[in-house]
């Protein structure tokens, strides 16, 4: 899931990417450095947000399942992809196709 | 030799007569060849015999209908069928069971995440790039893509 190199495509669609990691801030900063993410990488140390979205510990490993939620301007989830394994992620093209029309 | 042959002939004829009946004797006797037409009446009783066998077949058919009416043949296949149906139902019940199992292992109540149509829970989290980010601050944008990372990827 190479979101970094497709970031402009999301910007062109007026879409904001927010990455979340079930880590403390230090670990999240390491992730942001490694991925050179041009979008915010948020730390969810107590996995409260992952739990709220129902993706925490789905694979029994006490971290978030790889998942993508598209939230429209009204705050409603319009599309989601919840991975069934650690490597199960949607393609960038799939995410772009499911962005709501501007 | 001739007496022997005739004797044997006589014995054969006698045996045939005893077993089958008079018509054989009449048919075998060389002189009354004209009596071979009477052999036709002999065929008539033979016809009667075959006629009787179809009569036997008919009651058999009637018996088969009777058994079907009783429901005996239908009851027999129904039982194995019901067993197969029960087996299929058991498999169908078993197959859904594994899917709830991973959900039961997880601590999240949803199991498969919040479904589309539900409102996205708002949050405020610290950003690795500095500052705090609140989801609802992006309402002016067309959409927000939330990506849950795993580990250090």
């Amino acid at each position: 899931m190479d979101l970094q190199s497709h970031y402009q495509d999301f910007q062109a669609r007026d879409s904001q990417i927010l990455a979340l990691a079930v880590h403390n801030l230090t670990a999240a900063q390491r992730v942001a450095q490694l991925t050179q993410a041009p979008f915010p990488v948020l730390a969810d140390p107590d996995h409260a947000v992952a739990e709220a979205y129902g993706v925490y510990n789905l694979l029994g490993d006490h971290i978030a399942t790889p998942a993508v939620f598209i939230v429209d301007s009204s705050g409603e989830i319009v599309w989601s992809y919840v991975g069934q394994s650690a490597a199960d992620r949607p393609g960038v093209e799939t995410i772009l196709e499911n962005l709501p029309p501007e | 030799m001739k007496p022997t042959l005739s004797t044997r002939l006589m014995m054969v004829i006698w045996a045939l007569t005893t077993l089958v009946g008079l018509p054989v004797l009449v048919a075998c006797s060389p002189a009354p060849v004209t009596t071979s037409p009477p052999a036709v009446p002999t065929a008539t009783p033979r016809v009667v015999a075959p006629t009787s066998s179809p009569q036997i077949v008919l009651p058999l058919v009637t018996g088969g209908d009777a058994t079907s009416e009783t429901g005996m043949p239908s009851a027999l296949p129904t039982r194995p069928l019901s067993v197969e149906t029960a087996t299929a139902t058991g498999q169908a019940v078993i197959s859904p069971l594994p899917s709830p199992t991973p959900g039961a292992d997880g601590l999240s109540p949803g199991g498969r995440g919040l479904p589309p149509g539900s409102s996205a829970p708002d949050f405020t989290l610290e950003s690795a790039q500095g500052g705090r980010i609140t989801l609802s601050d992006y309402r002016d944008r067309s959409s927000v893509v939330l990506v849950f990372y795993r580990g250090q990827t």
Side-chain angles (χ1 to χ4, degrees), chain A residues 14-16 18-20 23 29 39 41-43 52-54 56-58 61 64 66-69 71 73 75 77 82 89, chain B residues 106 108 111-114 116-118 120-121 125-126 128-129 135 138-139 141-151 153:
Chain A
D14 194 30
S15 181
Q16 176 64 50
L18 295 178
L20 295 93
H23 289 302
Q29 285 169 339
F39 42 81
V41 177
L42 309 180
Y53 282 81
Y56 176 69
N57 199 28
L58 284 188
D61 49 11
V68 174
F69 293 88
V71 182
S73 54
I77 297 171
V82 178
R89 297 170 180 277
Chain B
S108 297
R112 286 180 174 267
L114 283 181
S118 41
L125 290 176
E126 276 192 284
Q129 290 91 339
L135 173 66
Y138 293 91
R139 286 286 170 84
R141 306 292 295 271
S142 174
S143 61
V144 175
V145 179
L146 300 176
V147 182
F148 283 89
Y149 275 171
R150 278 181 63 84
T153 44

Side-chain angles (χ1 to χ4, degrees), chain B residues 68-91:
Chain B
S68 64
E69 283 169 8
T70 324
M72 282 287 290
S74 56
L76 284 172
T78 310
R79 285 176 187 174
L81 276 174
S82 61
V83 172
E84 289 171 10
T85 319
T87 319
T89 325
Q91 288 170 349

Side-chain angles (χ1 to χ4, degrees), chain B residues 4-5 7 58 71 102 110 116 126 136:
Chain B
T4 337
L5 255 174
T7 315
L58 281 169
E126 276 192 284
S136 53

Side-chain angles (χ1 to χ4, degrees), chain A residues 15-93:
Chain A
S15 181
Q16 176 64 50
I17 296 176
L18 295 178
L20 295 93
V22 180
H23 289 302
N24 58 34
L25 187 60
T26 309
Q29 285 169 339
R30 208 178 304 139
V31 171
Q33 284 178 350
L34 283 170
T35 58
Q36 294 292 306
F39 42 81
V41 177
L42 309 180
D44 184 20
D46 54 359
H47 47 77
V49 179
E51 280 189 58
Y53 282 81
V55 296
Y56 176 69
N57 199 28
L58 284 188
L59 302 176
D61 49 11
H62 297 281
I63 54 174
T65 300
V68 174
F69 293 88
I70 297 178
V71 182
D72 70 4
S73 54
S74 72
E76 182 185 305
I77 297 171
V78 293
W79 184 83
S80 71
Y81 186 102
V82 178
Q84 298 303 303
S85 72
D88 185 11
R89 297 170 180 277
V92 179
E93 296 298 324

